[in-house]
């Protein structure tokens, strides 16, 4: 596996990438497609207009195939929060309804729902996380009432990698008119997923992190039967047709998810995202996940041996490749600041999240990356740094 995924990366020598849940290096296939289209724009201008439009639709198809969804279920946005906003502000929430979320949701997911509730008078209900920011689904189920209209959760939480079991939430839909909305940005690209089989109503995500593609594209994948229950949040020429269509005062929005794309799109980022989706699917998402979990387990075990505390929101075994580590009284690095400074000095990317530092290995990492990181946590620095 080291030679599989890793060969598609050309990172600057000396850097160790362990903040893949924040910003992974992009793969060389994604890089190449960006260069290709920049060059075409430079040389051809308007003469490549039809070609880039076709390429976007190919990327939409590739992303839909990757998510196991219908092509018309995928809409592109400039970022994940824009996709969330399309849902939250056009859900037609009522004052007697409730939106249920975890108390630890990331701002790009939380804030649109919070503001939508403020504007509509609906109530935002936050389920309290468990120890180590665990997300046992029973805590959500206990808060569901006949007023619950939306359950909006991250499949994998950004601070400690806490995983929410989605199946019991989907089961609730059998007896009530309920939206299940999932933020998948910390899972898609690293966990196998089938939108068709999931039973959820909508999935949102973005082009970076585990997709190893440039920042700048978000997406919404929505069930076809839900599309026309939502008005487009942003409206422009492409809400109704193409940018070349004559203006009409009686035009109607498109019938599929592309009705939510109002105008010019982040072409380079979308094409890179489609390219990354093809690459990851070709290599096998399950294989990539297992590789990252093996590296995560190696890192967690090594940190345990050194006396550090690793949060275990999903139980003893590492089931998502995101670790949150804190120091103890007898550990070589005594606090979060000293840990962070040591990692920075040794050019190991990480993030300050939740109770400590978040480390998130991907399948493009290798055992040497983990061994070097453990040496830093043991108080040993690489020579010459």
């Amino acid at each position: 596996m080291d030679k599989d995924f890793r060969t598609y990366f050309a990172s600057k020598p000396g850097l160790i990438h362990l903040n893949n849940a924040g910003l992974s290096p992009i793969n060389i296939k994604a890089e190449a497609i960006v260069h290709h289209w920049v060059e075409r724009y430079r040389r051809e201008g308007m003469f490549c207009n039809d070609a880039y439009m076709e390429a976007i639709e190919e990327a939409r198809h590739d992303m839909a195939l990757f998510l196991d969804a219908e092509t018309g279920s995928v809409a592109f946005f400039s970022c994940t929060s824009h996709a969330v906003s399309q849902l939250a502000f056009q859900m037609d929430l009522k004052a007697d309804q409730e939106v249920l979320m975890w108390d630890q949701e990331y701002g790009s997911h939380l804030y649109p729902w919070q503001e939508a509730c403020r504007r509509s008078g609906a109530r935002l209900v936050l389920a309290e996380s468990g120890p180590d920011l665990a997300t046992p689904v029973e805590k959500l189920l206990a808060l569901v009432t006949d007023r619950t209209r939306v359950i909006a959760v991250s499949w994998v939480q950004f601070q400690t990698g806490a995983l929410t079991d989605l199946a019991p939430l989907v089961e609730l839909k059998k007896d009530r008119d309920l939206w299940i909305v999932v933020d998948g940005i910390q899972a898609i690209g690293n966990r196998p997923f089938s939108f068709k089989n999931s039973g959820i109503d909508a999935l949102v995500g973005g082009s970076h992190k585990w997709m190893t593609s440039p920042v700048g594209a978000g997406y919404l994948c929505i069930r076809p039967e839900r599309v026309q229950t939502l008005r487009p949040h942003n409206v422009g020429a492409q809400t109704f047709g193409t940018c070349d269509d004559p203006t009409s005062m009686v035009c109607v929005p498109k019938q599929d998810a592309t009705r939510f794309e109002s105008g010019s799109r982040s072409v380079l980022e979308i094409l890179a995202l489609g390219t990354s989706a093809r690459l990851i699917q070709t290599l096998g998402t399950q294989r990539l996940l297992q590789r990252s979990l093996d590296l995560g387990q190696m890192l967690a075990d090594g940190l345990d041996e050194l006396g550090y505390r690793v949060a275990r929101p999903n139980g003893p075994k590492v089931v998502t490749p995101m670790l949150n580590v804190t120091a103890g009284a007898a550990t070589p690095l005594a606090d979060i600041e000293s840990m962070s400074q040591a990692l920075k000095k040794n050019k190991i990317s990480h993030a300050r999240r939740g109770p400590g530092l978040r480390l998130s290995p991907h399948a493009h990492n290798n055992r040497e990356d983990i061994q070097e990181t453990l040496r830093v946590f043991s108080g040993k620095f690489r020579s010459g740094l």
Side-chain angles (χ1 to χ4, degrees):
M1 177 57 74
D2 278 357
K3 291 188 71 174
D4 261 347
F5 203 38
R6 194 173 178 86
T7 56
Y8 291 96
F9 293 81
S11 174
K12 183 178 178 180
L15 303 182
I16 296 178
H17 300 280
L18 287 182
N19 189 17
N20 296 294
L23 185 62
S24 170
I26 72 170
N27 65 76
I28 59 175
K29 294 278 191 178
E31 178 189 18
I33 201 70
V34 170
H35 286 304
H36 170 80
W37 280 100
V38 167
E39 182 70 5
R40 288 202 65 176
Y41 283 146
R42 183 179 73 83
R43 290 181 175 273
E44 301 175 43
M46 187 64 190
F47 292 99
C48 70
N49 183 74
D50 291 346
Y52 95 72
M53 291 289 192
E54 290 174 6
I56 287 177
E57 294 313 308
E58 290 174 6
R60 191 189 313 278
H61 172 77
D62 290 334
M63 197 64 198
L65 191 65
F66 181 66
L67 297 173
D68 191 24
E70 296 181 22
T71 301
S73 294
V74 176
F76 292 119
F77 297 81
S78 62
C79 61
T80 306
S81 63
H82 286 184
V84 179
S85 294
Q86 169 59 57
L87 296 168
F89 293 109
Q90 299 303 326
M91 192 70 68
D92 195 24
L93 291 170
K94 307 296 184 185
D96 62 346
Q97 295 176 335
E98 296 175 343
V99 175
L100 177 58
M101 307 183 76
W102 286 111
D103 61 357
Q104 59 171 298
E105 292 289 338
Y106 187 66
S108 292
H109 191 211
L110 170 66
Y111 294 151
W113 290 108
Q114 180 187 47
E115 184 60 25
C117 286
R118 284 175 178 165
R119 295 183 189 183
S120 65
R123 180 171 176 245
L124 180 64
V125 179
L126 299 180
E128 183 180 358
S129 301
D132 281 345
L133 296 178
T135 52
V137 70
E138 294 77 16
K139 282 180 170 275
L140 286 172
L141 297 175
L143 295 175
V144 174
T145 71
D146 57 3
R147 294 185 174 186
T148 306
R149 177 78 189 289
V150 183
I151 301 177
V153 296
S154 294
W155 188 12
V156 174
Q157 291 290 342
F158 76 102
Q159 296 178 84
T160 64
L163 186 66
T164 296
D165 184 1
L166 302 178
L169 302 179
V170 173
E171 189 69 19
L172 293 172
K173 285 164 50 65
K174 292 181 178 179
D175 303 318
R176 63 190 78 206
D177 181 19
L178 183 67
W179 280 75
I180 306 297
V181 176
V182 174
D183 183 344
I185 199 168
Q186 290 293 2
I188 302 302
N190 188 252
R191 303 188 74 80
F193 178 74
S194 167
F195 184 72
K196 290 178 181 176
N197 296 334
S198 70
I200 67 173
D201 294 285
L203 174 82
V204 297
S207 54
H208 57 302
K209 303 183 188 294
W210 305 102
M211 290 302 297
T212 68
S213 194
V215 175
Y219 61 84
L220 164 65
C221 187
I222 183 170
R223 295 215 170 265
E225 62 270 23
R226 290 292 201 183
V227 169
Q228 295 193 46
T229 67
L230 303 177
R231 292 170 297 180
H233 187 54
N234 293 321
V235 175
Q238 297 198 76
T239 304
F240 306 98
T242 74
C243 58
D244 294 321
D245 292 343
T247 302
S248 169
M249 299 305 291
V250 294
C251 57
V252 295
K254 295 174 184 174
Q255 301 301 298
D256 63 10
T258 60
R259 69 198 269 130
F260 305 131
E261 298 174 11
S262 60
S264 299
R265 288 154 293 196
S266 305
V267 177
L268 300 178
E269 291 82 359
I270 290 171
L271 299 186
L273 174 59
T275 299
S276 294
R278 286 198 303 274
L279 173 63
I280 293 170
Q281 186 166 42
T282 298
L283 295 178
T285 312
Q286 182 60 49
R287 292 178 64 220
L288 300 186
L289 172 62
Q290 190 56 58
R291 176 59 181 167
S292 63
L293 292 180
D294 290 344
L295 294 172
Q297 192 67 59
M298 177 183 174
L299 181 56
D301 292 344
L303 290 168
D304 285 342
E305 291 178 7
L306 291 170
Y308 293 91
R309 185 181 184 281
V310 177
R312 310 277 183 174
N314 304 304
K317 189 177 180 181
V318 173
V319 298
T320 62
M322 294 166 64
L323 308 179
N324 198 288
V325 56
T326 52
T331 49
L333 302 173
D335 53 35
I336 293 173
E337 179 61 27
S338 62
M339 291 192 303
S340 182
Q341 289 303 317
L343 292 172
K344 287 178 181 177
K345 184 174 183 180
N346 285 265
K347 302 188 185 307
I348 302 172
S349 66
H350 59 285
R352 290 195 177 198
R353 295 289 187 270
L357 297 185
R358 186 189 67 194
L359 302 169
S360 46
H362 204 339
H364 58 69
N365 291 113
N366 59 17
R367 293 177 62 86
E368 288 72 23
D369 292 341
I370 304 305
Q371 290 167 347
E372 193 62 58
T373 302
L374 290 172
R375 278 195 286 273
V376 172
F377 275 98
S378 71
K380 301 173 183 178
F381 290 6
R382 282 184 277 175
S383 59
L385 295 177

